[in-house]
Amino acid sequence: MEAGHLTELIQLEDSYWWHVAKRRLATRLLQEHFPPPGLVVEGGVGSSRNLLAFQELGYEVAGLDVMEPAVEHAHERGLENVHLHDLTEPWPLADESASAVVLLDVLEHLSDPVAALQHAWQALKPGGGVIATVPAYQWLFGEWDERLGHYRRYTRRRLREEAEAAGFTVRFLSHWNAFTLLPAIAVRTYERLLPRSRKAVFPRVSSLTNRALLACADWERCWMSACPTPCGLSVVGVLQK
């Protein structure tokens, strides 16, 4: 992640629909599948807002991030158990010490995601697991992904294969963010037809649109509780040790 993107993330973490919706999804899945108390480790802490939310739910929290500014920001927010570390290298955690690992839009940034998942498996207690989100559909890969440092986009099948290669059982797997899929296809098509240099910034929306998108995400999250979403801009999985 570029330093400017981290700054933008910090500015938008409490209000922008995308960050709020993803955090609500992660906390629901954590509470449902790996309820507190317990240690939750986030790989790729970003602004640290997720860790603070997990802490408020009663979890102990720890974090690993390859960006020094992200680690420093976490320490400034009182999260001392956050460390500078490459997720593809053995994790500085005791074996079988964590109840859950959270990887939100992280695996696509890694040259060897299976190695990172194997290290997560090593850190997890038996019965613990991973909450992971990744961007969907390799055919949507484009300039936006390159600016963000993505190696790939995912299908449900690819995430399942990587999880099983690392030793996990897939407990839940679904697309999500279906309501933005068509607009995203339109934007990616436009970028391919008229390529130009752009920064990786989240598109600004009005407060009304922001609330509407967040409401759509809330509705979709409720739907997913009963039935996995068949299509969407992202894939979410719960992987159990």
Side-chain angles (χ1 to χ4, degrees):
M1 184 188 295
E2 298 175 355
H5 193 65
L6 176 61
T7 300
E8 183 191 29
L9 182 59
I10 292 169
Q11 293 171 345
L12 298 176
E13 62 183 1
D14 283 319
S15 59
Y16 194 71
W17 73 272
W18 167 255
H19 306 305
V20 176
K22 186 162 57 172
R23 185 161 56 247
R24 289 178 181 176
L25 175 64
T27 54
R28 182 184 72 79
L29 291 173
L30 268 178
Q31 291 176 295
E32 179 181 345
H33 295 280
F34 314 109
L39 174 65
V40 172
V41 181
E42 183 171 26
V45 301
S47 69
S48 299
R49 183 62 181 85
N50 295 331
L51 284 178
L52 292 173
F54 304 153
Q55 193 174 63
E56 290 167 2
L57 293 173
Y59 295 98
E60 295 179 57
V61 296
L64 305 172
D65 201 294
V66 75
M67 285 189 65
E68 189 169 356
V71 175
E72 291 174 352
H73 183 68
H75 293 169
E76 290 170 1
R77 305 188 80 166
L79 298 166
E80 294 300 323
N81 199 13
V82 175
H83 306 283
L84 188 67
H85 191 75
D86 184 338
L87 295 175
T88 62
E89 298 296 327
W91 290 10
L93 298 168
D95 290 354
E96 300 188 356
S97 60
S99 297
V101 171
V102 177
L103 300 170
L104 303 182
D105 290 339
V106 169
L107 293 174
E108 68 272 15
H109 291 271
L110 304 179
S111 59
D112 190 351
V114 174
L117 288 171
Q118 288 171 333
H119 298 318
W121 191 95
Q122 192 76 17
L124 285 164
K125 298 176 181 179
V130 174
I131 308 294
T133 63
V134 289
Y137 307 125
Q138 184 62 28
W139 48 266
L140 274 179
F141 192 96
E143 187 181 352
W144 170 263
D145 298 277
E146 293 172 354
R147 294 196 301 268
L148 288 177
H150 293 177
Y151 281 88
R152 70 197 72 79
R153 297 179 72 92
Y154 278 79
T155 59
R156 285 180 293 185
R157 178 178 178 178
R158 180 164 191 162
L159 182 57
R160 180 184 293 276
E161 288 174 348
E162 290 183 0
E164 292 176 346
F168 287 99
T169 298
V170 177
R171 187 167 175 178
F172 173 79
L173 193 61
S174 175
H175 279 279
W176 77 285
N177 204 5
F179 53 93
T180 63
L181 180 57
L182 290 179
I185 292 173
V187 169
R188 297 296 193 276
T189 302
Y190 174 79
E191 289 179 344
R192 287 169 181 167
L193 293 174
L194 297 172
R196 59 176 180 168
S197 179
R198 301 179 180 88
K199 292 183 179 180
V201 295
F202 293 98
R204 299 301 190 265
V205 296
S206 69
S207 59
L208 179 62
T209 301
N210 194 69
R211 290 195 299 271
L213 289 168
L214 192 52
C216 289
D218 289 342
W219 179 87
E220 185 182 57
R221 191 171 62 255
C222 293
W223 167 272
M224 285 169 56
S225 298
C227 181
T229 305
C231 62
L233 198 56
S234 299
V235 175
V236 57
V238 178
L239 323 174
Q240 188 169 30
K241 179 174 179 178

